[in-house]
């Protein structure tokens, strides 16, 4: 079986998920080519596992101060004519299947050329009824318009009695330790001045901040680190807590490692607002809405860590399911994986 795997590269969570799937698909002996869109090729990192991958412009979001989605900037920065040209120009002859991690070019090309397609992404959970205010028919329509697929596999922290799979993340690669003064931070759309204003007030803690920095730098009790997947996961395994936006992938890894999480959703981004609301309902994180509340941050820093909650090997299960022709109903696959999760977490 030959597969084209399209990945929405605007967020690191999509790429991290694809890395996990790459190993699982290779273990099944499947031939896979990768296409990334939404971020310039020179801004991608740690991509060796994808071999001779392709990049296209695709669609992306523009963010303003504090992580607010800039609607006008997003509209102006996306070239729909080029997107249509890339969809028409993607030749899928010779491919048996397209997998889309919410990537529009591969999904729409598969639809136009009649190639079977599977969507594997957190965003596809919005095809179902989720708790909270931040979803509905408009959101479902937008998801289907962005990256339409024949079979959509959604991922979430709970099944909500629907055919939703657990998070697709790598099992912990490093032993879990605890450096009580070390806080891992990933807030890529906050300015350095803003981060200094928030975190320099808590001099008893070291804030290890991954950002678009060319080299490691230290300012007071803040340590700025360039993007590096391996270094980030090592720090995740040893830190006392994580401060991030409300992206699905990092929150899932934080829960799996048993680290407390302070989550600050992007304003105006429906997916992150929904994630934040559900995190609170499931008691997975403390949530900051708007500017950082320093009193809340102090209480969170002093709070204990939750127990680790490892997820099953969803990538291996999905890769086997794909290799066997993906004939098993998604509901049956979901039930098996959640039963395994319950058995190992009590």
């Amino acid at each position: 079986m030959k597969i084209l795997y399209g990945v929405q590269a605007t967020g690191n969570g999509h790429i991290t998920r694809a890395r996990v799937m790459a190993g699982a698909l290779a273990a099944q002996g499947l031939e896979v080519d990768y296409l990334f869109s939404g971020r310039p090729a020179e801004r991608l990192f740690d991509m060796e596992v994808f071999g001779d991958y392709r990049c296209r412009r695709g669609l992306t979001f523009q963010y303003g101060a504090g992580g607010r989605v800039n609607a006008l900037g997003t509209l102006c920065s996306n070239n729909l004519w080029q997107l249509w040209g890339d969809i028409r120009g993607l030749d899928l002859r010779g491919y048996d299947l397209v997998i889309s991690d919410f990537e529009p070019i591969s999904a729409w090309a598969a639809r136009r050329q009649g190639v079977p397609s599977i969507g594997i992404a957190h965003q596809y959970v919005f095809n179902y009824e989720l708790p909270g205010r931040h979803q509905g028919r408009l959101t479902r329509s937008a998801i289907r318009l962005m990256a339409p697929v024949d079979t959509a596999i959604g991922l979430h922290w709970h099944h909500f009695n629907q055919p939703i799979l657990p998070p697709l993340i790598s099992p912990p690669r490093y032993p879990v330790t605890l450096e009580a003064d070390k806080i891992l931070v990933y807030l890529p759309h906050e300015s350095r001045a803003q981060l200094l204003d928030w975190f320099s007030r808590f001099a008893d803690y070291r804030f290890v901040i991954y950002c678009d920095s060319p080299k490691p730098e230290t300012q007071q009790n803040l340590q700025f680190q360039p993007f590096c997947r391996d270094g980030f996961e090592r720090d995740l395994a040893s830190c006392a807590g994580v401060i991030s936006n409300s992206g699905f992938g990092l929150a899932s890894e934080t829960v799996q490692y048993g680290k407390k999480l302070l989550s600050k959703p992007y304003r105006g981004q429906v997916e992150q607002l929904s994630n934040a609301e559900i995190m609170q309902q499931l008691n997975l994180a403390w949530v900051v809405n708007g500017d950082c509340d320093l009193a809340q941050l102090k209480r969170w820093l002093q709070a204990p860590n939750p127990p680790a909650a490892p997820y099953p090997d969803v990538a291996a299960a999905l890769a086997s399911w794909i290799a066997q022709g993906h004939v098993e109903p998604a509901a049956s696959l979901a039930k098996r994986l959640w039963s395994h999760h319950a058995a190992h977490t009590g």
Side-chain angles (χ1 to χ4, degrees), residues 18-216:
R19 286 193 189 99
V20 181
M21 281 300 296
L25 292 167
Q28 291 289 331
L30 301 172
E31 183 181 356
V32 186
D33 294 331
Y34 293 90
L35 182 150
F36 295 84
S37 74
R39 188 192 306 188
E42 62 271 17
R43 295 188 59 201
L44 298 171
F45 58 93
D46 295 344
M47 300 292 284
E48 294 79 7
V49 70
F50 302 116
D52 188 19
Y53 61 89
R54 289 173 273 178
C55 285
R56 297 292 184 271
R57 180 170 178 171
L59 295 174
T60 189
F61 289 101
Q62 293 292 318
Y63 296 94
R68 181 186 292 275
V69 175
N70 183 335
L72 180 61
T74 295
L75 181 63
C76 294
S77 65
N78 283 308
N79 187 327
L80 297 182
W81 183 251
Q82 181 176 345
L83 175 68
W84 177 239
D86 286 340
I87 292 169
R88 294 184 62 189
L90 182 60
D91 186 356
L92 297 179
R93 285 177 294 182
Y95 288 103
D96 303 295
L97 178 68
V98 167
I99 300 174
S100 174
D101 190 322
F102 206 53
E103 196 288 311
I105 296 171
S106 56
W108 275 107
R111 177 63 57 91
R112 291 187 71 250
Q113 298 175 45
V115 177
S117 60
I118 298 173
I120 303 173
H122 170 57
Q123 286 80 2
Y124 291 115
V125 298
F126 290 99
N127 289 324
Y128 305 101
E129 291 291 337
L130 300 177
R133 299 174 291 113
H134 301 289
Q135 51 95 29
R137 284 179 294 180
L138 183 60
T139 303
R140 285 193 289 274
S141 297
I143 295 296
R144 291 166 182 161
L145 181 64
M146 175 76 171
V149 291
D150 298 330
T151 303
I153 302 295
L155 313 163
H156 220 315
W157 302 302
H158 193 269
H159 52 73
F160 306 111
N161 295 316
Q162 298 180 85
I164 295 169
L165 271 59
L168 196 171
I169 56 177
S170 173
R173 294 195 300 143
Y174 300 104
V176 178
T177 58
L178 181 64
E179 297 180 34
D181 67 335
K182 179 178 179 179
I183 303 298
L184 179 62
V185 179
Y186 180 61
L187 295 170
H189 298 289
E190 303 290 350
S191 69
R192 184 170 294 199
Q194 182 64 81
L195 297 174
L196 275 164
D197 180 57
W198 287 339
F199 301 140
S200 63
R201 302 166 188 255
F202 301 93
D204 292 338
Y205 294 88
R206 292 179 294 128
F207 293 88
V208 181
I209 302 170
Y210 278 80
C211 60
D212 193 10
S213 176
K215 61 181 181 179

